[in-house]
């Protein structure tokens, strides 16, 4: 008789799997899949709902190129690994360069409360543009292919934190660019004429995770974080998208678990079987 008693519980799991909220459907751009917690930020969409982490909206250009915007600056998305929670990016400006001189104008900064953070695989290289005085530190490499005016020179340094040197040598700009450490160490493997451009095109990585307790609580209850129009007070408010519809908190109360019949869902150890939640329970 035991197998028969388990049948209703198994049916509950099957129903939950088939009840994926329509606001959380996957999208595509070229050959890439945009899935939770990312979402496609389409200007043509009339949907009042957005399923995904705030700040993880992506744009699809010409139906082929996936773009992440950081303070309106464009980064190409080369891949998203949903198993390791990693997105691979590259500064779009590197792809418009026709010489070995990458002309960058944006310093990427990551807020500590953002859902995105630099990964341990990342490192930095720093570009100094239009310096009136010649750089004297030994690890700086002159970018001879950069356009020169009035005897000014541009340099690249395999590090960061050299704003003082940029001021000392009267450089017009200093841009710190994230790159993968493995590619920075292998700079000699790239053609000299396009070495630093190629390293920039190879990109860097960001890891993503819930950026709030509210979002984490929603996910632990088998929901999907997102935002939707507040019908009562106006504006955009947090929503937890559940199989039975969106809520303002989490997906309900855990009422059935295996192997035990009732547990504290939000405090259950990772070794526990997944629970079935009742919406608004």
């Amino acid at each position: 008789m035991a197998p028969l008693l388990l049948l209703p519980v198994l049916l509950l799991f099957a129903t939950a799997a088939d009840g994926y909220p329509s606001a959380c459907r996957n999208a595509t751009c070229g050959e890439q899949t945009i899935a939770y917690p990312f979402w496609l930020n389409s200007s043509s969409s009339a949907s009042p709902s957005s399923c995904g982490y705030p700040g993880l909206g992506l744009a699809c250009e010409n139906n082929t190129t996936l773009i992440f915007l950081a303070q309106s600056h464009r980064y190409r998305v080369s891949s998203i690994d949903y198993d390791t929670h990693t997105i691979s990016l590259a500064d779009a400006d590197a792809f418009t360069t026709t010489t070995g001189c990458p002309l960058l104008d944006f310093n990427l900064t990551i807020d500590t409360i953002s859902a995105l953070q630099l990964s341990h695989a990342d490192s930095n290289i720093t570009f100094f543009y239009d310096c009136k005085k010649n750089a004297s530190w030994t690890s700086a490499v002159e970018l001879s292919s950069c356009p020169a005016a009035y005897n000014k020179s541009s340099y690249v340094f395999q590090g960061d934190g050299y704003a003082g040197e940029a001021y000392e040598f009267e450089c017009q700009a200093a841009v710190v660019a994230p790159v993968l450490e493995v590619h920075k160490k292998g700079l000699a493997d790239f053609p000299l004429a396009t070495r630093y451009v190629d390293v920039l095109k190879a990109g860097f990585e960001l890891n993503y995770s819930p950026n709030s307790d509210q979002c984490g609580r929603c996910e632990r209850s088998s929901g999907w974080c997102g935002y939707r129009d507040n019908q009562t007070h106006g504006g955009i408010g947090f929503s937890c998208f559940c199989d039975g519809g969106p809520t303002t908190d989490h997906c309900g109360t855990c009422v059935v678990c295996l192997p035990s019949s009732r547990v504290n869902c939000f405090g259950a150890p990772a070794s526990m079987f997944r629970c079935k939640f009742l919406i608004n329970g």
Side-chain angles (χ1 to χ4, degrees), residues 1 10 16 44 51 61 68-69 87 168 177 195 248 258 261:
M1 293 298 293
L10 297 177
S44 62
C51 180
E61 294 184 351
F68 172 73
L69 292 176
I87 179 172
E168 178 184 351
R195 180 166 296 173
T248 57
L258 296 176
S261 61

Side-chain angles (χ1 to χ4, degrees), residues 168-184:
E168 178 184 351
F169 297 107
E170 300 182 21
C171 304
Q172 292 298 309
V175 178
V176 179
V179 297
L180 288 173
E181 173 71 19
V182 64
H183 291 146
K184 190 172 80 169

